[in-house]
Amino acid sequence: MRTEHRLVEAMHEHPGLLDRPTEHALRYAVSLAQLGTFQPGAAAAGKRVARPDVSVRNPQLDRFRQLVLDHLAPQVLHTRHPSRRLEGAASSLGRVRRAAIETREAVIAAHTQDFSAQELDLELGQKTLVSVAGGGGGAGYVYIGAWEVLQNAGHVPAYVLGSSIGAVLGLFRALRRAGDFEEYMSFAKSVALDQVLRVVSFRARYGLPGVLRLFLHAGIGSQFRHPDGRDLRLDDLEIPFESVVAGVRRGALGESPDQYARSHHLPEDRRPSTLALRARIASQLVKMVGFFNPMMVREIVIGSDSLTRQFDCVDAAGFSAAIPGILHYDVARDDRHMHQVLDALMDREDVVALVDGGVANNVPANTAFRRVQEGVVGTRNCYYLCFDSLHPQTTLGHVWLQPIERIVALQVALNERYMSQHIKFAPTLSPVHLLPNPKELDRAVSWGRAQMARELPLMQKFFERVEFQA
């Protein structure tokens, strides 16, 4: 993967330095070296199809992979200047190309009952988009503009994975393959703050109490219902969608969620003054640092197994956005199905509360990579486009959050090796601006459009169809 990324980046920076057949031969060879398990036909469909996965196990493929690592990869990975990188790669092509042709023939001959030569070439030559949307509170509204630019350029994700605000906005992106962004923006501008965020004391059942209560169903639930009024579940979305939540490990808090609420003075029956509310949120932000600890929380991917695929889709986003000590999300409504699913999940994972996915994995590229390898979209030849809005910035809305943003940046760094493209959006709204007014929302979306438009040409290079060169 690293070899492929460095190679294509150099091709983008120096167009025309190599002729098209040479570019295709190099890219096909690197892609063939990554071949393992895949679902024939999925690359053409852009999603899973009704065929079994095939694991390609071939001694000649193993030898070819080592040849690429020994001869082509060093020319690409150890050369800083992009043009020299391409020249070095081209110089090693002769031997690699001959071996690629022989290996391809051996793989096809060994799997004539499993897939055709055309299906193999599509798997190796066609990228599929995976969209990873990170947390960041109000800073994440830039993602709307970015997804709009992608759709207008013909790029529809085959799979969306989100944490926190990335899960909430990702839910809208996954609702329909052809998203109606004008409709989404019009709806977002109609949502009132008191619809979504309230000061109400409820007993915690699955979430962790906070300064405010997140009523996501009241705010956006109307967009996620069947015509007969039934709430949509994850399986009902047109694009496969999963959310990352953090499960608070049993015993990690040292007290029950309700005791935690009392000891942190969280229960409220009336809304405090603006100044008092800001002070309490600031206090909880400091205490939230303790949750960025794998001894405290464990990552749970809602939608990744048969139990959680039955999740109400708004609940999947709501728990992912429940900032510990600040936003409490829970299922208090009479929903027997969701109570059964959540009870089973909490018991299986041995956790006492579900909170913001960002504290477990804020830009979960590694999780997206693992899910692709497990077959969530069938093809394994994917492009991992990762949106990040919670990173250190010098603007007033971010600077006071830098201690948390620096902790998150260390966590995100562990995911970078799995990212095809890591977009750190700037500028953004402040992370604490959870429900901006229409003018602010328009500004955030325009920032997202502008930055995605600048980043798009590199991505387009990766999505060029690679043809086998005999």
Side-chain angles (χ1 to χ4, degrees), residues 264-286:
H264 287 71
H265 309 291
L266 293 176
E268 284 282 355
D269 294 318
R270 60 185 178 84
R271 190 180 184 90
S273 68
T274 300
L275 187 61
L277 183 62
R278 288 178 178 174
R280 295 190 64 192
I281 290 175
S283 173
Q284 290 303 318
L285 280 170
V286 173

Side-chain angles (χ1 to χ4, degrees), residues 24-261:
H24 283 242
L26 284 167
R27 292 189 61 182
Y28 190 95
V30 175
S31 190
L32 178 60
Q34 296 179 65
L35 182 64
T37 300
F38 75 104
Q39 185 186 49
K47 60 182 180 180
R48 284 199 65 85
V49 294
R51 291 177 65 179
D53 284 354
V54 176
S55 294
V56 179
R57 300 285 183 266
N58 187 292
Q60 189 160 335
L61 178 59
D62 292 338
R63 291 192 294 271
F64 176 72
R65 183 177 294 113
Q66 195 60 52
L67 174 69
V68 169
L69 292 173
D70 291 343
H71 294 276
L72 178 56
Q75 301 284 352
V76 176
L77 297 176
H78 303 153
T79 305
R80 179 173 297 179
H81 197 281
S83 64
R84 293 178 181 173
R85 197 183 307 159
L86 294 180
E87 291 165 356
S91 70
S92 67
L93 181 58
R95 182 178 178 186
V96 170
R97 174 182 277 173
R98 289 193 299 273
I101 294 171
E102 294 169 359
T103 302
R104 174 180 177 273
E105 291 174 352
V107 167
I108 292 170
H111 292 276
T112 54
Q113 302 301 313
D114 299 318
F115 51 77
S116 66
Q118 181 184 26
E119 288 170 334
L120 175 64
D121 290 343
L122 277 171
E123 172 65 20
L124 300 180
Q126 186 165 298
K127 287 287 181 191
T128 295
L129 177 60
V130 168
S131 184
V132 181
Y141 286 103
V142 289
Y143 302 164
I144 301 171
W147 275 316
E148 184 180 15
V149 169
L150 286 170
Q151 178 169 293
N152 291 340
H155 296 292
V156 175
Y159 168 54
V160 177
L161 177 67
S163 274
S164 197
I165 189 66
V168 176
L169 299 177
L171 187 62
F172 279 90
R173 183 61 199 96
L175 180 59
R176 292 190 289 269
R177 287 183 57 82
D180 188 336
F181 288 91
E182 287 189 11
E183 177 189 325
Y184 299 158
M185 286 290 289
S186 176
F187 174 75
K189 292 174 181 179
S190 73
V191 177
L193 182 65
D194 288 343
Q195 278 183 276
V196 182
L197 299 176
R198 306 177 201 169
V199 179
V200 181
S201 295
F202 284 166
R203 176 180 174 273
R205 182 164 184 175
Y206 307 109
L208 189 70
V211 176
L212 297 170
R213 179 74 181 246
L214 177 60
F215 286 83
L216 201 60
H217 257 287
I220 70 171
S222 62
Q223 300 292 299
F224 297 93
R225 292 196 184 110
H226 290 284
D228 63 4
R230 290 179 297 116
D231 293 330
L232 295 180
R233 297 181 185 174
L234 292 179
D235 278 336
D236 297 319
L237 302 173
E238 290 190 7
I239 297 175
F241 167 81
E242 295 172 359
S243 68
V244 171
V245 302
V248 180
R249 297 178 184 274
R250 191 174 303 280
L253 283 175
E255 53 191 345
S256 72
D258 285 332
Q259 290 170 332
Y260 178 90

Side-chain angles (χ1 to χ4, degrees), residues 337-382:
H337 166 77
M338 276 305 301
H339 289 308
Q340 289 176 338
V341 171
L342 283 161
D343 287 339
L345 177 66
M346 304 279 278
D347 183 62
R348 186 186 75 185
E349 300 294 335
D350 197 27
V351 296
V352 297
L354 302 176
V355 298
D356 193 323
V359 300
N361 203 350
N362 199 56
V363 187
N366 59 347
T367 303
F369 178 83
R370 173 174 56 82
R371 291 291 296 134
V372 167
Q373 301 312 306
E374 291 170 352
V376 68
V377 292
T379 177
R380 271 62 169 184
N381 188 7
C382 290

